[in-house]
Amino acid sequence: MKRVLVIDDESQLLLALRINLSARGYDVAVAADAAAGLAAAARRPPDLVVLDLGLPDRDGVEVIAGLRGWSAVPILVLSGRTEAWDKVEALDAGADDFVTKPFSMDELAARIRALIRRSEPEDPAGPVVAVGHHLVDLAAHTVRRAPQAPAGVPETVRLTRTEWAVLETLLRHPGRLVSSKQLLAQVWGTEHEPEGSYLRFYLSRLRQKLEPEPSRPRQLLTEPGMGYRFQP
């Protein structure tokens, strides 16, 4: 049974999520503030964290940073904040997904399933693929500096779980167009497909980390109106 930790200061929402997620087969723990949530995560590490940003004792972005200091657990932000900057800040801090309140319980459950599914290790070994001045090991989920890379290229590059999912989908289809719809479904699940701006955001992040000239990408390409392509 997968364990889900919900950190939110709305008591009625905590109760509703505990009942609903428990009915869907999850072991649910709840916390009403950041301190209790971080303590619960350390005491018994969850398989996924559902996190509100507006907590009474600490901003949710700080909680994300605290968790990321020692854990790669998937983090799904559940917040009433609707500004694009709030979403970008949470994703930059290490969150894997963002759901805006009010929300559909079916949508939230679909996002949770997709994040947990992506967090589980895959059996098939993946290839090592050259991207820019880096070598991406799809089996080990590592990005390291290529032997002939110029000075200044970092030895390793950290990718978030969602960045990995986007990159791996493209790298496993070298030279082929992957439509936006296909990529959204592969990364976020067929039950719910988020808006296309998610893809633009994550592709921009990947280019910044992997392409020698992010503004003039040579391998992580956008095909306007159609989708994306990895060019070996």
Side-chain angles (χ1 to χ4, degrees):
M1 181 180 292
K2 298 296 184 180
R3 179 175 174 81
V4 175
L5 171 62
V6 183
I7 308 174
D8 198 299
D9 62 338
E10 297 182 37
S11 58
Q12 290 185 339
L13 180 59
L14 283 181
L15 178 60
L17 288 176
R18 169 176 266 170
I19 292 172
N20 200 296
L21 293 176
S22 295
R24 295 171 187 258
Y26 295 102
D27 176 17
V28 183
V30 298
D33 58 41
L38 288 170
R43 184 169 56 251
R44 188 178 172 194
D47 295 293
L48 181 136
V49 173
V50 177
L51 174 68
D52 181 28
L53 294 181
L55 298 171
D57 57 338
R58 193 181 304 181
D59 189 82
V61 173
E62 295 180 38
V63 178
I64 296 170
L67 288 169
R68 283 290 170 258
W70 61 274
S71 174
V73 62
I75 300 173
L76 190 157
V77 171
L78 186 63
S79 177
R81 300 179 187 178
T82 58
E83 295 296 327
W85 168 246
D86 291 315
K87 298 180 181 181
V88 171
E89 186 180 26
L91 293 167
D92 273 342
D96 296 283
D97 204 352
F98 196 110
V99 174
T100 303
K101 298 177 182 177
F103 61 92
S104 157
M105 191 62 225
D106 287 339
E107 173 188 343
L108 181 66
R111 301 281 191 106
I112 289 173
R113 288 195 299 272
L115 285 176
I116 290 178
R117 183 170 60 246
R118 296 208 309 269
S119 71
E120 295 173 342
E122 297 182 359
D123 292 333
V128 175
V129 183
V131 182
H133 299 307
H134 304 88
L135 296 177
V136 181
D137 189 326
L138 294 177
H141 274 204
T142 59
V143 180
R144 65 183 187 275
R145 182 178 182 271
Q148 304 303 319
V153 175
E155 287 296 325
T156 60
V157 176
R158 178 186 176 277
L159 300 181
T160 68
R161 195 178 304 276
T162 303
E163 288 169 350
W164 266 115
V166 173
L167 181 63
E168 182 170 1
T169 300
L170 293 175
L171 265 54
R172 289 192 183 278
H173 299 84
R176 291 171 51 191
L177 173 68
V178 180
S179 72
S180 297
K181 184 175 181 180
Q182 289 174 320
L183 192 50
L184 287 167
Q186 181 68 30
V187 175
W188 281 274
T190 57
E191 302 94 341
H192 177 81
E193 297 174 5
E195 57 189 81
S197 60
Y198 274 43
L199 288 180
R200 291 191 292 273
F201 170 77
Y202 283 110
L203 262 295
S204 175
R205 289 283 299 272
L206 288 169
R207 288 167 181 150
Q208 291 291 331
K209 293 181 178 185
L210 300 177
E211 288 272 10
E213 295 183 74
S215 62
R216 300 174 61 186
R218 295 186 177 184
Q219 291 184 276
L220 301 176
L221 306 178
T222 299
E223 302 289 349
M226 294 185 293
Y228 299 89
R229 187 190 312 271
F230 166 64
Q231 189 63 46

